[in-house]
Amino acid sequence: MAMARRSASRLLSSFRPFSLLLQPLNDAPSLAAAAAAASARRGMSSASALRARDEKEVARWRESMDRMRNIGISAHIDSGKTTLTERVLYYTGRIHEIHEVRGRDGVGAKMDSMDLEREKGITIQSAATYCTWNGYQVNIIDTPGHVDFTIEVERALRVLDGAILVLCSVGGVQSQSITVDRQMRRYEIPRVAFINKLDRMGADPWKVLNQARSKLRHHNAAVQVPIGLEEEFEGLVDLVELKAYKFEGGSGQNVVASDVPSNMQDLVMEKRRELIEVVSEVDDQLAEAFLHDEPIQANQLKAAIRRATVARKFIPVYMGSAFKNKGVQPLLDGVLDYLPCPMEVENYALDQKKSEEKVLLAGTTAEPLVALAFKLEEGRFGQLTYLRIYDGVIRKGDFIYNVNTGKKIKVPRLVRMHSNEMEDIQEAHAGQIVAVFGVDCASGDTFTDGSVKYTMTSMNVPEPVMSLAVSPISKDSGGQFSKALNRFQKEDPTFRVGLDPESGETIISGMGELHLDIYVERIRREYKVDAKVGKPRVNFRETITQRAEFDYLHKKQSGGQGQYGRVCGYIEPLPSGFDGKFEFDNMIIGQVIPSNFIPAIEKGFKEACNSGSLIGHPVENIRIVLTDGASHAVDSSELAFKLASIYAFRQCYAAARPVILEPVMMVELKVPTEFQGTVTGDMNKRKGIIVGNDQEGDDTVVVCHVPLNNMFGYSTALRSMTQGKGEFSMEYLEHNTVSQDVQMQLVNTYKASKGTD
């Protein structure tokens, strides 16, 4: 009997992972022992009793996974993401008071925990939280809307199972809405849409729904119809359940259900039929019932919408006004009803032991640990690393392995995040988003328990487009200044730090003016270092337009061992659409150059490409082919061949007709129609190419492609041209060739600065 009790206790200890979401089974060992003893008395083996117990535990664990959602809230700037998250936290009981994004009470929204975010009324860093709604656990990441902080959206979507795309009922589908939707497609995220701000003047949800179909290619339909619009917006009619909802109480916390208003019956039935038709196009079960003209029950329609949404074939559209506390609770119900639980999403890892073979992760606690570090933050207690757990269990005090660096690390502290607050936990399992302290790693590293060598696929990191020269005003604060730059570079993959070889200045690069301004301000506030900032500089690139041959002999004799290396071949532009910016091909037949020197030759060419001779910027889209060469038995070395490569590149670069590439931005302008002529005239002066022109009420929306170099100080110019009524958003599009006159001007400026140096 004692043996049975001990074996039961040992076996049950392996089920500790279930304790996090399920109620802790404090008396589990004694219960298991009692169950085993009773089984033995009935002539049933304790092993089979324990097997039954195992199955029961697995079933309970599966149920807990079904009751979990990992979602992100993303949208264009100022569409109401943070306001929506604030209401979600209030209705789920996570916070007990609502504060506004630009709150006069000096508190600000819960998810905007940085002082800078509260001052500017924008989200700068994505923030994680969790809440409970109708017995489901919902992990939420609120992301920034400004294009300069696009990496925050990118890495949040990389680890989430579903998302809410927020659209403004007045602004409609804007430039950043398109970018965010593209990111969701990249990571294959099922989503629901929420048309916000129905209380505003000019609100038109049906226009926005059609824009989502035409601009975002969404296969969507409304699952709600608003009762009134603008000041008369009172509530919503649910097209699935055919119920009307109004939101009463001081903060809209009381949801009152009633029958559909009689004056809306025709509209509601028309929109419900449209919903059924659209879902039938992508769901066979519903299509069969629809074609046979059978009455469609609410549970039938709900199941069909869930199947189509999880399969990413359909996007249900919700409506409301987060600011006026209307429509948030039904949206939360929609997240539970239609977005997938962690087990319904396929996640793949790359097995490093089998030359990066793709492995489908089971997403269970029985598998070895696989977790991805997707975001880093410098907290009060050291580095805070956000982890998404894909497989297995992580416990406080466990040893985990960083697959990317090979280091073994102990988990000193495990927490769940609620914006900038944290709750200590003992363990977490597959499907959860948690954070660990004191773990040194980089964004994108994968952690395992050491039994497998899996890495998760990396996230897409855009290239920086703008640079600033920065230096501390006081020489004594150099240490703090370096510490700040190192930390920011580790936290944000789009923030780069370099040194200008000519001037010796520290150069910071990022996604735009606001991005870099925020970091300069954070250096001042968080590290008490006043920094001197140079004029913003554009990240130009150089490339070649035709093939050019090289044949260079590097020969040096200065007593003792000399240097000897000869390289022959050609450089040529990479074909358009090629995935990569530099390619090196060794086409030498035989051993005229020993194979151990080839990596040094490639390294030399790569180094030479870091600085082109036109304006000293990196050279891209180039293919270097090595066809011949010569070596010396004594004098050849890696250094000799590396130097030969650098000089060979410089020798033939001018013959390849190099050109300068500049970053071109996609700019979306929204201005009152009366100022359209002035604004478009100014855009033409800035060498902008207008690619789109739409009318939205009294406003004109102009989309154009403009060189970044011509966009400095544009916000001030636009304000003065439109009496402060115009607005614009800008995001990186591509690097494109500059005109001949601009190239001459840039080259002359570069030569003049070299001359003065």
Side-chain angles (χ1 to χ4, degrees):
M1 189 66 70
M3 279 179 70
R5 194 174 287 116
R6 277 198 301 276
S7 65
S9 186
R10 265 200 308 275
L11 197 57
L12 273 157
S13 67
S14 65
F15 292 108
R16 290 282 175 249
F18 308 127
S19 63
L20 189 66
L21 273 182
L22 311 170
Q23 292 300 318
L25 300 169
N26 297 324
D27 56 346
S30 56
L31 280 172
S39 309
R41 278 199 299 275
R42 287 196 303 270
M44 186 178 165
S45 73
S46 58
S48 60
L50 286 169
R51 204 176 301 120
R53 179 81 187 179
D54 297 357
E55 286 165 9
K56 202 172 177 182
E57 287 287 2
V58 169
R60 289 182 67 181
W61 171 76
R62 277 186 181 281
E63 189 186 343
S64 77
M65 289 290 273
D66 284 342
R67 290 183 164 270
M68 189 190 293
R69 299 289 182 271
N70 292 317
I71 63 161
I73 299 179
S74 301
H76 184 87
I77 191 166
D78 207 25
S79 294
K81 298 175 299 301
T82 305
T83 305
L84 174 61
T85 314
E86 187 80 357
R87 300 310 186 270
V88 167
L89 294 177
Y90 178 74
Y91 297 133
T92 55
R94 290 296 286 139
I95 56 175
H96 305 294
E97 208 178 341
I98 292 173
H99 295 284
E100 300 313 329
V101 174
R102 290 180 184 267
R104 288 178 190 167
D105 54 6
V107 179
K110 177 69 192 172
M111 301 306 278
D112 285 350
S113 56
M114 281 172 69
D115 291 340
L116 268 170
E117 291 180 316
R118 288 173 177 174
E119 280 172 31
K120 292 180 180 287
I122 60 169
T123 302
I124 292 168
Q125 288 189 332
S126 56
T129 187
Y130 63 96
C131 55
T132 308
W133 181 251
N134 293 348
Y136 283 71
Q137 184 184 329
V138 184
N139 294 313
I140 302 171
I141 298 183
D142 175 32
T143 62
H146 202 287
V147 69
D148 283 19
F149 310 108
T150 190
I151 188 66
E152 292 288 330
V153 186
E154 197 81 41
R155 56 185 167 194
L157 293 177
R158 169 67 186 81
V159 297
L160 293 170
D161 305 323
I164 300 171
L165 175 65
V166 183
L167 299 167
C168 173
S169 64
V170 181
V173 174
Q174 294 158 286
S175 60
Q176 189 64 6
S177 316
I178 297 168
T179 304
V180 165
D181 189 71
R182 194 185 309 127
Q183 290 170 320
M184 289 178 183
R185 276 181 209 277
R186 183 183 297 133
Y187 296 114
E188 299 181 340
I189 305 279
R191 51 207 179 275
V192 299
F194 179 65
I195 299 176
N196 194 16
K197 304 189 179 184
L198 290 189
D199 59 302
R200 279 184 57 190
M201 284 286 289
D204 185 350
W206 308 113
K207 176 198 78 175
V208 179
L209 193 136
N210 287 324
Q211 275 186 358
R213 287 175 182 170
S214 59
K215 290 187 178 180
L216 303 176
R217 303 192 311 282
H218 279 184
H219 188 75
N220 65 6
V223 290
Q224 293 173 331
V225 171
I227 303 171
L229 283 173
E230 301 176 356
E231 310 98 74
E232 293 167 13
F233 176 51
E234 292 176 19
L236 298 154
V237 175
D238 185 324
L239 296 177
V240 179
E241 304 279 358
L242 289 176
K243 289 268 182 201
Y245 294 106
K246 293 196 177 176
F247 306 88
E248 296 175 358
S251 304
Q253 65 272 37
N254 303 324
V255 183
V256 180
S258 61
D259 292 331
V260 177
S262 54
N263 63 335
M264 291 185 68
Q265 288 282 356
D266 292 345
L267 174 68
V268 166
M269 294 320 291
E270 180 201 324
K271 292 294 179 186
R272 189 175 199 263
R273 185 173 176 82
E274 185 187 319
L275 170 65
I276 293 167
E277 272 183 38
V278 173
V279 179
S280 298
E281 288 173 26
V282 290
D283 186 81
D284 294 342
Q285 290 181 42
L286 190 70
E288 204 171 314
F290 177 65
L291 290 170
H292 289 102
D293 235 6
E294 295 170 14
I296 309 288
Q297 302 302 319
N299 58 351
Q300 256 181 299
L301 181 53
K302 196 177 271 190
I305 293 173
R306 178 175 178 79
R307 285 191 300 270
T309 306
V310 170
R312 302 189 310 282
K313 293 176 180 174
F314 175 73
I315 296 171
V317 179
Y318 284 81
M319 300 180 187
S321 167
F323 184 67
K324 296 286 185 183
N325 310 314
K326 292 184 173 115
V328 177
Q329 296 97 321
L331 175 66
L332 270 170
D333 292 335
V335 165
L336 309 186
D337 290 339
Y338 304 134
L339 290 181
C341 73
M343 294 190 71
E344 291 175 291
V345 178
E346 290 186 349
N347 291 300
Y348 290 90
L350 304 174
D351 191 345
Q352 298 301 318
K353 289 179 180 173
K354 295 181 180 173
S355 53
E356 300 203 341
E357 185 184 301
K358 270 180 103 174
V359 181
L360 177 64
L361 298 177
T364 70
T365 51
E367 299 294 319
L369 172 72
V370 179
L372 174 70
F374 66 95
K375 177 175 159 64
L376 310 178
E377 249 178 48
E378 194 69 29
R380 290 167 301 200
F381 312 104
Q383 183 175 302
L384 183 65
T385 305
Y386 286 77
L387 293 178
R388 162 69 200 260
I389 306 166
Y390 287 99
D391 256 354
V393 183
I394 187 169
R395 296 182 185 84
K396 181 183 173 181
D398 274 1
F399 281 98
I400 57 174
Y401 291 82
N402 185 332
V403 180
N404 300 65
T405 63
K407 286 181 183 172
K408 181 180 176 183
I409 306 151
K410 189 176 183 179
V411 179
R413 190 177 171 196
L414 194 61
V415 295
R416 279 197 296 187
M417 298 304 297
H418 176 44
S419 185
N420 59 337
E421 295 170 16
M422 52 201 74
E423 174 199 322
D424 279 282
I425 54 174
Q426 294 304 307
E427 63 184 18
H429 61 64
Q432 290 192 297
I433 292 171
V434 292
V436 292
F437 271 108
V439 172
D440 186 33
C441 67
S443 188
D445 283 0
T446 306
F447 291 96
T448 69
D449 59 5
S451 61
V452 290
K453 202 173 180 185
Y454 292 167
T455 56
M456 300 303 294
T457 51
S458 60
M459 61 203 90
N460 180 60
V461 179
E463 282 294 308
V465 294
M466 190 180 285
S467 300
L468 283 177
V470 288
S471 56
I473 290 170
S474 161
K475 288 187 178 175
D476 301 338
S477 50
Q480 283 292 90
F481 181 69
S482 301
K483 195 175 171 186
L485 293 183
N486 287 338
R487 172 195 156 186
F488 296 149
Q489 202 173 193
K490 208 170 185 185
E491 281 182 11
D492 184 350
T494 58
F495 179 75
R496 312 274 170 87
V497 179
L499 204 67
D500 189 322
E502 283 134 26
S503 62
E505 290 178 309
T506 301
I507 305 292
I508 58 170
S509 304
M511 300 305 296
E513 278 182 280
L514 179 66
H515 190 209
L516 297 177
D517 286 349
I518 291 288
Y519 276 118
V520 171
E521 184 65 17
R522 284 183 68 188
I523 290 169
R524 190 177 66 77
R525 290 187 184 205
E526 295 172 31
Y527 289 88
K528 308 289 184 282
V529 176
D530 278 326
K532 188 170 65 184
V533 179
K535 185 176 173 278
R537 302 191 318 180
V538 172
N539 285 356
F540 290 105
R541 295 284 182 266
E542 296 183 27
T543 191
I544 56 171
T545 55
Q546 67 180 34
R547 176 173 158 158
E549 312 280 337
F550 61 83
D551 181 351
Y552 189 85
L553 171 63
H554 176 66
K555 191 175 177 184
K556 195 174 179 186
Q557 196 68 45
S558 55
Q561 187 182 345
Q563 289 180 14
Y564 185 95
R566 182 182 172 207
V567 288
C568 307
Y570 58 89
I571 61 173
E572 63 180 5
L574 282 169
S576 59
F578 185 83
D579 189 20
K581 295 173 181 176
F582 174 89
E583 191 181 83
F584 176 79
D585 279 346
N586 175 22
M587 297 238 179
I588 291 178
I589 296 163
Q591 284 285 315
V592 286
I593 299 176
S595 54
N596 56 314
F597 292 136
I598 301 297
I601 295 171
E602 183 176 354
K603 196 175 175 187
F605 278 116
K606 263 189 181 162
E607 208 170 285
C609 286
N610 286 337
S611 174
S613 59
L614 289 178
I615 54 169
H617 280 255
V619 182
E620 284 186 353
N621 304 327
I622 187 167
R623 180 170 181 250
I624 294 162
V625 181
L626 190 65
T627 56
D628 201 358
S631 63
H632 189 277
V634 178
D635 290 350
S636 285
S637 64
E638 287 189 359
L639 177 64
F641 276 107
K642 185 180 166 187
L643 290 170
S645 308
I646 292 170
Y647 294 134
F649 181 81
R650 288 179 187 168
Q651 178 197 58
C652 70
Y653 186 62
R657 285 187 54 208
V659 292
I660 298 169
L661 303 173
E662 65 181 342
V664 174
M665 312 302 279
M666 183 166 79
V667 178
E668 186 179 272
L669 297 152
K670 191 172 185 180
V671 296
T673 304
E674 59 195 283
F675 303 113
Q676 183 184 352
T678 316
V679 170
T680 50
D682 179 71
M683 264 299 143
N684 288 329
K685 278 186 202 164
R686 293 172 188 268
K687 299 188 177 171
I689 299 166
I690 292 166
V691 292
N693 201 325
D694 279 330
Q695 202 66 28
E696 275 187 16
D698 297 334
D699 291 335
T700 298
V701 178
V702 181
V703 180
C704 41
H705 298 166
V706 197
L708 175 62
N709 205 27
N710 302 339
M711 286 299 288
F712 290 125
Y714 185 66
S715 51
T716 313
L718 183 66
R719 274 199 295 271
S720 63
M721 279 187 288
T722 60
Q723 298 171 8
K725 296 173 188 169
E727 55 184 60
F728 80 103
S729 63
M730 178 167 78
E731 65 174 294
Y732 170 72
L733 181 69
E734 61 184 352
H735 267 78
N736 222 332
T737 314
V738 301
S739 58
Q740 199 58 42
D741 58 321
V742 173
Q743 177 152 326
M744 287 296 295
Q745 192 183 330
L746 289 167
V747 170
N748 292 337
T749 309
Y750 176 68
K751 283 179 179 169
S753 69
K754 290 273 281 186
T756 56
D757 290 347

